[in-house]
Amino acid sequence: MKNRLVSFFLSKIYVDKFSDLIKKSAILSIPYKIIAQKMIDYKFPHHLFLETTSACNLKCKMCARNKVPMKIGSMDFGLFKKILDEAAKYGQRNFCLHLFGDPLLSPNIIEMIKYIKLKNKKNTILLTTNGVLLDKGKAEEIIANNVDKIVISMHSSDKRKYEEITGVDSLEKVEENVKNLIEIKKKHKNNSSKIYLRMVVPDKKSKDIDIFREKWKEYPVIIDVRELHNYGGKIDNKSTKPSLVQRYPCYHLWFSPGIAWDGEVSICCDDSERTATIGNVKETTISELWQSDKIKKYREHHLMGEYHKIPVCKDCDIWKTYPDIFFKWQKNKPKK
């Protein structure tokens, strides 16, 4: 039941809208925290970011790739299978197939998608791509294999602005690919994949958002608007307003680690410099790392409010993306 609830939340619910609702309601936050804590699995994480490749074909100006030297490579299919084989022992899980690269550049992306569903047909897949390589062939495979959530990062509906943000003139191609994806989905009548078109903006009051919504209002897509975050302090994010909310522990440490293409595991999907790694899955298991003293110490730092002791967390602002999962009385003391 626990696994099904988490999978439903991540694959069927518009998480950002749900999160905004919880953060605005003191009443709703109480049952949310109780349920969220019951959902934590200390043996094996519910949601894994798997970096199928760290390569990318865009140069988005708000990406940490512009500030941090990246190790470029693609995950070996054997390593990918090792991760999935272990995950299968713990029931259905949720897999997000990117960290700092575009998954469609992975030479084994379709085989990886198929293997996730093969190991457990109830596993959920979140595929985030810039859509440049989302041709009809890949779109057909993605829909046919029931990828649960397909997120295409577009950032603008204006050709000039798109090129300014991404560094390439590909908006028309991406828009055509999205429309082809929609048509292919229509042909698969029982398909339940959800298509999201994502904008990352400095401020949710941006006029570009209304223009973007208007352009796609006749299409069966969900417009996903996200405020720019600073990738653990690597991006100068002065355009966003400082948070008026007191900082709270980040959900990543309890729900969703990031696994790089070469097997290194970090507490966070934004750890571009890999300063908060807890080990490598080539040498051990995810379960052992998830229960290790190292990650327990990281969690303790968060509960104690000692964010400065973790470099990637010190100046990070992504923590406020999701609601606080802990009560006040649980903080400022170690979590056993």
Side-chain angles (χ1 to χ4, degrees):
M1 177 60 75
K2 181 191 292 188
N3 293 344
R4 289 200 296 271
L5 283 173
V6 176
S7 295
F8 176 81
F9 176 78
L10 290 172
S11 63
K12 305 300 181 184
I13 301 296
Y14 184 5
V15 177
D16 282 5
K17 277 193 173 181
F18 178 82
S19 296
D20 288 343
L21 177 64
I22 297 297
K23 285 186 284 188
K24 291 176 182 178
S25 172
I27 296 176
L28 290 177
S29 70
I30 295 174
Y32 171 80
K33 289 176 181 179
I34 294 171
I35 294 171
Q37 288 184 43
K38 287 184 178 294
M39 295 299 103
I40 297 172
D41 189 335
Y42 287 101
K43 291 184 178 180
F44 195 92
H46 278 292
H47 181 76
L48 295 94
F49 285 87
L50 300 183
E51 189 174 50
T52 52
T53 182
S54 61
C56 189
N57 48 354
L58 298 188
K59 296 179 180 179
C60 298
K61 64 181 183 181
M62 65 285 201
C63 182
R65 299 177 64 92
N66 301 318
K67 302 291 184 180
V68 178
M70 288 281 169
K71 294 181 180 180
I72 305 300
S74 296
M75 185 175 286
D76 177 75
F77 192 45
L79 176 60
F80 185 86
K81 291 172 68 176
K82 179 182 186 292
I83 294 168
L84 266 294
D85 291 348
E86 182 188 354
K89 300 174 184 178
Y90 298 91
Q92 68 187 91
R93 286 296 187 265
N94 312 280
F95 301 91
C96 188
L97 303 182
H98 82 287
L99 277 180
F100 297 101
D102 190 290
L104 296 188
L105 283 166
S106 169
N108 299 309
I109 188 60
I110 301 303
E111 288 77 8
M112 289 172 168
I113 289 171
K114 290 179 178 178
Y115 198 73
I116 291 173
K117 294 294 185 177
L118 175 67
K119 295 306 296 185
N120 189 327
K121 63 181 181 180
K122 294 182 179 179
N123 281 339
T124 54
I125 303 173
L126 286 69
L127 181 73
T128 301
T129 173
N130 56 48
V132 174
L133 297 178
L134 189 61
D135 56 33
K136 289 183 178 179
K138 285 191 174 71
E140 178 66 42
E141 292 281 9
I142 287 168
I143 293 297
N145 286 285
N146 294 305
V147 171
D148 300 85
K149 184 181 288 188
I150 308 162
V151 181
I152 297 98
S153 298
M154 297 177 70
H155 307 312
S156 179
S157 59
D158 179 81
K159 184 177 179 180
R160 181 187 61 79
K161 286 185 178 180
Y162 177 89
E163 184 173 1
E164 180 185 337
I165 293 169
T166 65
V168 298
D169 179 15
S170 296
L171 179 60
E172 292 177 351
K173 182 177 182 180
V174 173
E175 290 180 335
E176 180 184 355
N177 288 346
V178 171
K179 292 172 183 177
N180 288 334
L181 178 69
I182 292 169
E183 290 304 310
I184 290 170
K185 184 180 185 302
K186 287 179 181 178
K187 295 176 183 178
H188 293 256
K189 296 182 179 180
N190 296 322
N191 178 266
S192 59
S193 301
K194 292 184 179 296
I195 301 172
Y196 288 70
L197 302 186
R198 176 171 292 169
M199 290 185 74
V200 176
V201 294
D203 191 327
K204 284 191 175 181
K205 294 181 180 179
S206 170
K207 294 180 180 179
D208 290 342
I209 298 172
D210 292 333
I211 299 172
F212 192 82
R213 291 186 189 279
E214 180 68 22
K215 188 170 189 177
W216 292 96
K217 69 178 183 179
E218 302 298 328
Y219 294 89
V221 298
I222 298 169
I223 303 302
D224 179 24
V225 180
R226 293 197 171 188
E227 283 191 333
L228 179 66
H229 61 84
N230 66 12
Y231 286 94
K234 296 297 179 294
I235 300 297
D236 186 0
N237 202 7
K238 293 180 180 178
S239 56
T240 59
K241 297 178 181 178
S243 177
L244 300 177
V245 180
Q246 185 175 359
R247 187 167 179 178
Y248 48 79
C250 181
Y251 92 107
H252 277 282
L253 287 83
W254 283 267
F255 281 96
S256 55
I259 305 179
W261 64 270
D262 56 0
E264 278 201 291
V265 182
S266 175
I267 60 173
C268 180
C269 64
D270 273 1
D271 188 11
S272 56
E273 290 188 297
R274 304 189 186 185
T275 60
T277 56
I278 54 176
N280 195 304
V281 291
K282 289 181 179 179
E283 301 163 359
T284 184
T285 65
I286 296 171
S287 178
E288 288 174 328
L289 295 175
W290 197 237
Q291 301 176 70
S292 67
D293 289 338
K294 198 167 185 179
I295 196 167
K296 287 177 182 177
K297 192 64 179 177
Y298 282 134
R299 290 171 182 153
E300 183 179 316
H301 285 321
H302 268 242
L303 288 167
M304 295 290 290
E306 300 171 336
Y307 308 107
H308 62 282
K309 292 185 177 181
I310 312 173
V312 72
C313 302
K314 180 182 177 183
D315 298 312
C316 184
D317 64 358
I318 198 172
W319 56 271
K320 59 186 177 183
T321 302
Y322 297 96
D324 188 359
I325 63 173
F326 292 105
F327 292 98
K328 188 175 181 179
W329 59 267
Q330 294 175 301
K331 300 169 191 174
N332 298 319
K333 63 180 181 180
K335 178 75 172 178
K336 293 183 181 180

